[in-house]
Amino acid sequence: MVTNDDLAELMDTSHDWIVQRTGIHERRWVDPETSTSDLGLEAANAAIADAGIDPSEIDMIVFATLSPDHEFPGAACFLQAKLDLPGIPAMDVRQQCTGFVYALSTADAMIRAGNADTVLVVGAEVHSKGLDQTTAGRDVTVLFGDGAGALVVQSTEVGDARHDAHVWDTRLHADGSFAEALWLPAPGMAYERFISEEHFEEGLNYPQMDGRTVFVNAVKRMPETVEEILSENGVTTDDIDLFVFHQANMRIIESVAHRLGIPEEKVVNTIDHTANTTAATLPICLDEARDRGKLEPGMLVVGAAFGSGFTWGSMLLRW
Ligand code: UT7
């Protein structure tokens, strides 16, 4: 666990600044030996045990992360080897904060198309090792934490969408004209050499963010996609039992909830102790909602995310 005071020892920041601007009190950082697929494995094993399935039933892995163990192959392949499930398809989804919605949508589409029956959907991130832990990186570094979450998604007969547990719908969006508003510039094949001394000299190996632009777009796009998925499926915010929003900044979440006119008690937030765990955020929220007794079978859940890309999207689940 890393508190705001711990960060203030590394850089020019303070607990009060971080809490006032973001609502974050602490975050988790892995130990140096732990990789993203290690975190994914812990979440996957918990989800498999929770679903009560035998791991051999899994016929596809979709792994959402912006912080894979290696540039290639994807984290899904490393996780697959750790789970000892050779032969099944294993793919990464690199859609940053919206990664879990894209991954779930992919799993749902594969199942609906008859190409898979049981898909393991993982969101996991190790940010800490890639952040600038000096004052130069303070605007980004204080916002992020490491974490993982996973869901097992299985094919099912849906008689009545209003009662039977299933992924009811997902909505995906992107606008690449904002790609450089939140990005990790280097290393990359856009340069003469994939990796060079200049990258380090210019700090291009650390995430760069135009915080204000991200903020303004996040508070617009998340309510928009929630309204879209609800109206397309003939439900209203009153029908929803639980809202889970991407956890990037408490002020963003409050603004989104305000715009949608939803009561505080229907929203689950983890940001105070997790910070922004990017693609791991939504499954962590669902898990904590269940632990807090706010998520029970039969409930209608809507989730929304927004982040680098820009990408954004929503998911409507009958739990
Ligand atoms: O999933 C998407 C991920 N990212 C986001 O969602 C981020 C969206 N943006 C935000 O959450 C906010 O823009 C921030 C929290 C990043 C910044 O909040 P802000 O209210 O927009 O602050 P600001 O950027 O206007 O900065 C205010 C001041 C600046 O100093 P000056 O120029 O006024 O002297 C910054 O240098 O705060 C300074 N500052 C800090 N001070 C202490 C920036 N970071 C820090 C810090 N500690 N960690």
Side-chain angles (χ1 to χ4, degrees), residues 11-14 17-18 21-22 97 137-140 142-144 182 209-216 218 246-249 251-252 276 278 306-308:
M11 61 190 77
D12 181 13
T13 190
S14 67
W17 190 96
I18 299 171
R21 303 290 175 127
T22 72
C97 297
R138 66 181 182 175
D139 61 322
V140 172
V142 302
L143 303 178
F144 290 93
L182 177 49
M209 179 177 73
D210 173 353
R212 193 62 53 88
T213 301
V214 177
F215 195 106
V216 167
H246 180 56
Q247 305 281 303
N249 184 325
R251 284 154 56 212
I252 295 178
N276 184 351
T278 317
F306 176 89
S308 163

Side-chain angles (χ1 to χ4, degrees), residues 55-64 73-81 83-93 103 106-107 109-111 114-122 153:
S56 63
E57 289 177 59
I58 296 168
D59 51 17
M60 182 173 189
I61 298 170
V62 187
F63 197 133
C77 291
F78 289 96
L79 175 64
Q80 181 191 35
L83 286 167
D84 193 20
L85 293 172
I88 63 169
M91 65 182 276
D92 277 26
V93 168
T106 303
M110 290 295 279
I111 290 171
N115 293 325
D117 276 320
T118 303
V119 185
L120 175 65
V121 185
V122 179
V153 187

Side-chain angles (χ1 to χ4, degrees), residues 115-315:
N115 293 325
D117 276 320
T118 303
V119 185
L120 175 65
V121 185
V122 179
E125 304 285 1
V126 171
H127 288 301
S128 53
K129 297 183 188 184
L131 297 170
D132 182 353
Q133 294 175 16
T134 71
T135 298
R138 66 181 182 175
D139 61 322
V140 172
T141 300
V142 302
L143 303 178
F144 290 93
D146 303 335
L151 277 185
V152 173
V153 187
Q154 272 191 311
S155 60
T156 181
E157 284 295 322
V158 180
D160 181 352
R162 292 194 161 262
H163 299 101
D164 300 343
H166 70 298
V167 177
W168 189 336
D169 198 7
T170 53
R171 298 281 149 162
L172 306 178
H173 299 280
D175 183 351
S177 65
F178 288 97
E180 296 178 11
L182 177 49
W183 64 318
L184 181 64
M189 299 306 176
Y191 304 99
E192 276 181 36
R193 298 295 302 167
F194 176 65
I195 189 163
S196 72
E197 285 299 326
E198 287 95 79
H199 294 155
F200 296 106
E201 281 159 19
E202 292 167 35
L204 301 179
N205 55 311
Y206 293 123
Q208 321 274 316
M209 179 177 73
D210 173 353
R212 193 62 53 88
T213 301
V214 177
F215 195 106
V216 167
N217 282 275
V219 299
K220 175 169 177 272
R221 294 307 196 180
M222 280 200 280
E224 205 174 82
T225 188
V226 167
E227 279 166 355
E228 166 196 32
I229 201 167
L230 297 187
S231 68
E232 291 286 331
N233 291 287
V235 286
T236 69
T237 49
D238 289 342
D239 299 320
I240 300 295
D241 300 299
L242 181 73
F243 294 83
V244 284
F245 299 118
H246 180 56
Q247 305 281 303
N249 184 325
M250 198 58 207
R251 284 154 56 212
I252 295 178
I253 300 162
E254 283 167 358
S255 169
V256 171
H258 178 72
R259 282 184 193 212
L260 289 168
I262 53 182
E264 213 177 285
E265 59 272 16
K266 283 191 176 182
V267 184
V268 159
N269 294 319
T270 63
I271 187 162
D272 60 333
H273 58 282
T274 59
N276 184 351
T277 58
T278 317
T281 302
L282 291 179
I284 290 174
C285 281
L286 291 171
D287 189 48
E288 289 209 12
R290 222 178 37 162
D291 285 351
R292 293 184 212 170
K294 289 184 121 184
L295 178 56
E296 286 168 7
M299 283 186 165
L300 193 57
V301 181
V302 75
F306 176 89
S308 163
F310 287 151
T311 55
W312 65 100
S314 52
M315 57 189 198

